[in-house]
């Protein structure tokens, strides 16, 4: 089995292309075993803690099912379930949990929190999402793309929308590491941080990746293999930013016309949840305030034949399982 024994999984910048490929290969093997009904509970007696300062359907379920499949036990700590950062410092929390658990997942706010957990806990720590990075999601994305196209090298991925935060950052890093063609398509003020761009350009110089930053939708998507988007307002941001984001990013909505411009080879991906219809309370509220019946993607694209969002969502479990198996 490929392993990164006792290493934490905090951001893709910490891993080599060979490490990422090893995790993808392990995930594909574990997925095949799952589909074939072959037991792989190779970690009996292991216990993991799941710290969720930001709630999530896919991340929680993926970690829990993956842990159970591997024979582990897990404890879920929701935003009210621990004193982390409130009555107890990150360092103290890490040292306590590290004495009780074999691994710790963290999903929440600043990247420094998960870095400190790894520094002080003495056990592998896995980043389930921070403001800056979302590495488990990108592993699932890369596995899904590889399954669909057969390889990653040279694949053109266009990220449309607000590319300043965890998804835009992490997709850019993942594409740079794996020799892909990454395009951030958004107004310039929504492009990733220039320091991270510079770091990724250095990686791209070694891997053959291409990094582009484009404001024109047609120029960005022509010939794309993947068009990717995410919600325009991240969890924890105030409601008042919706109006500005809608005004700025509506031209970057993924529509059937955008997919047509890309070409028939193109697939649509989204890390979910998605505001593609009015079947959510937030979607209804936005419609009542701004008259917008879908946001980052139309329902036609989301439910259409080029959409592989649920293959992608399933692969969260398989890739997270690979991360835990490799690091433990």
């Amino acid at each position: 089995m490929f392993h990164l024994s006792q290493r934490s999984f905090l951001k893709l910048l910490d891993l080599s292309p060979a490490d990422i490929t090893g995790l993808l290969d392990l995930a594909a093997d574990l997925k095949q075993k799952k589909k074939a009904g072959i037991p792989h509970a190779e970690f009996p007696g292991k216990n993991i803690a799941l710290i969720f300062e930001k709630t999530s359907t896919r991340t929680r379920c993926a970690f829990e099912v993956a842990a159970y499949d591997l024979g582990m036990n897990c404890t879920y700590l929701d935003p009210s379930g621990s004193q982390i950062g409130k009555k107890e410092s990150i360092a103290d929390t890490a040292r306590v949990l590290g004495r009780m658990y074999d691994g710790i997942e963290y999903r929440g706010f600043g990247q420094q929190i998960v870095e400190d957990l790894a520094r002080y806990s003495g056990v592998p720590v896995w980043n389930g999402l921070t403001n800056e990075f979302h590495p488990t999601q990108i592993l699932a994305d890369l596995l899904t793309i590889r399954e669909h196209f057969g390889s990653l090298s040279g694949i053109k991925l266009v990220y449309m929308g607000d590319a300043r935060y965890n998804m835009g950052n992490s997709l850019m890093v993942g594409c740079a590491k794996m020799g892909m063609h990454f395009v951030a398509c958004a107004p310039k003020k929504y492009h990733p941080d220039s320091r991270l761009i510079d770091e990724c350009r250095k990686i791209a110089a070694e891997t053959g990746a291409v990094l582009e930053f484009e404001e024109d939708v047609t120029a960005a998507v022509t010939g794309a293999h993947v068009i990717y988007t995410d919600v325009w307002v991240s969890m924890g941001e105030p409601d008042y930013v919706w109006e500005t984001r809608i005004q700025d990013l509506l031209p970057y909505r993924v529509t059937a016309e955008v997919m047509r411009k890309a070409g028939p080879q193109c697939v649509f991906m989204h890390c979910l949840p998605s505001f593609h219809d009015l079947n959510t309370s937030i979607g209804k509220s936005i419609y009542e305030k701004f008259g917008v019946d879908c946001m980052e993607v139309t329902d036609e694209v989301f439910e259409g034949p080029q959409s592989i969002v649920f293959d992608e969502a399933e692969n969260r479990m398989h890739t997270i399982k690979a991360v835990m198996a490799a690091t433990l």
Side-chain angles (χ1 to χ4, degrees):
M1 178 188 291
F2 172 80
H3 65 85
L4 298 167
S5 184
Q6 295 302 301
R7 285 179 61 181
S8 290
F9 183 76
L10 307 179
K11 55 187 181 298
L12 292 184
L13 287 169
D14 299 333
L15 302 181
S16 69
D19 292 336
I20 295 170
T21 299
L23 287 171
L24 296 177
D25 290 344
L26 178 56
D29 178 64
L30 291 170
K31 181 175 182 177
Q32 187 276 328
K33 289 178 177 176
K34 175 89 169 175
K35 298 292 186 183
I38 299 172
H40 43 281
E42 300 175 13
F43 297 87
K46 295 289 188 182
N47 297 286
I48 64 170
L50 307 178
I51 302 172
F52 276 66
E53 293 194 297
K54 290 184 179 180
T55 57
S56 168
T57 301
R58 276 151 304 283
T59 303
R60 177 182 178 179
C61 293
F63 266 100
E64 289 192 350
V65 173
Y68 298 144
D69 282 354
L70 292 172
M72 304 178 193
N73 304 304
C74 60
T75 301
Y76 174 72
L77 299 170
D78 67 15
S80 63
S82 78
Q83 298 298 333
I84 185 169
K86 298 187 284 287
K87 290 184 177 179
E88 189 166 54
S89 70
I90 305 302
D92 290 357
T93 299
R95 286 178 286 189
V96 169
L97 295 181
R99 298 292 185 97
M100 300 180 182
Y101 292 95
D102 300 289
I104 301 168
E105 179 272 352
Y106 173 81
R107 177 184 171 93
F109 298 96
Q111 179 71 15
Q112 191 59 49
I113 296 174
V114 77
E115 300 278 350
D116 286 345
L117 284 171
R119 177 183 177 188
Y120 291 105
S121 68
V123 298
V125 172
W126 311 300
N127 181 355
L129 174 143
T130 61
N131 294 339
E132 294 89 343
F133 296 109
H134 197 358
T136 58
Q137 177 66 56
I138 306 312
L139 275 189
D141 298 338
L142 294 176
L143 180 63
T144 308
I145 293 167
R146 195 175 77 168
E147 288 175 341
H148 192 84
F149 292 101
S151 68
L152 294 173
S153 180
I155 292 293
K156 181 179 179 179
L157 184 150
V158 180
Y159 181 81
M160 297 185 64
D162 191 344
R164 297 172 298 173
Y165 301 123
N166 46 39
M167 283 309 303
N169 290 343
S170 295
L171 283 166
M172 179 172 65
V173 173
C175 288
K177 289 279 185 176
M178 303 313 291
M180 298 168 67
H181 182 173
F182 173 81
V183 184
C185 181
K188 188 172 183 179
K189 67 180 181 179
Y190 290 98
H191 289 174
D193 181 79
S194 60
R195 290 167 297 181
L196 184 60
I197 291 174
D198 290 342
E199 190 168 1
C200 287
R201 288 198 191 281
K202 293 176 183 176
I203 296 168
E206 298 178 357
T207 64
V210 176
L211 305 180
E212 294 183 322
F213 305 90
E214 181 61 68
E215 295 186 68
D216 181 82
V217 172
T218 301
V221 304
T222 300
H225 298 92
V226 180
I227 291 179
Y228 200 118
T229 192
D230 188 14
V231 294
W232 293 338
V233 176
S234 299
M235 187 183 299
E237 290 192 278
D239 288 345
Y240 65 77
V241 304
W242 274 110
E243 183 173 6
T244 300
R245 299 286 169 82
I246 290 172
Q247 290 174 352
D248 290 345
L249 297 177
L250 203 57
Y252 298 90
R253 172 191 283 166
V254 182
T255 64
E257 176 63 14
V258 169
M259 297 300 293
R260 186 193 67 76
K261 288 178 178 178
Q265 77 290 338
C266 188
V267 297
F268 171 74
M269 297 178 71
H270 193 303
C271 54
L272 304 181
S274 169
F275 297 122
H276 60 95
D277 56 24
L278 300 179
N279 294 329
T280 64
S281 59
I282 293 177
K284 290 176 183 176
S285 174
I286 296 300
Y287 178 72
E288 291 167 359
K289 291 179 181 177
F290 305 109
V292 178
D293 62 1
C294 60
M295 280 172 275
E296 72 278 2
V297 59
T298 64
D299 194 57
E300 180 182 10
V301 171
F302 187 89
E303 298 289 357
Q306 291 169 284
S307 175
I308 56 173
V309 297
F310 295 110
D311 294 337
E312 179 186 2
E314 177 193 336
N315 280 339
R316 291 296 308 283
M317 178 185 65
H318 304 300
T319 47
I320 282 172
K321 188 185 296 183
V323 167
M324 291 196 294
T327 54
L328 291 178

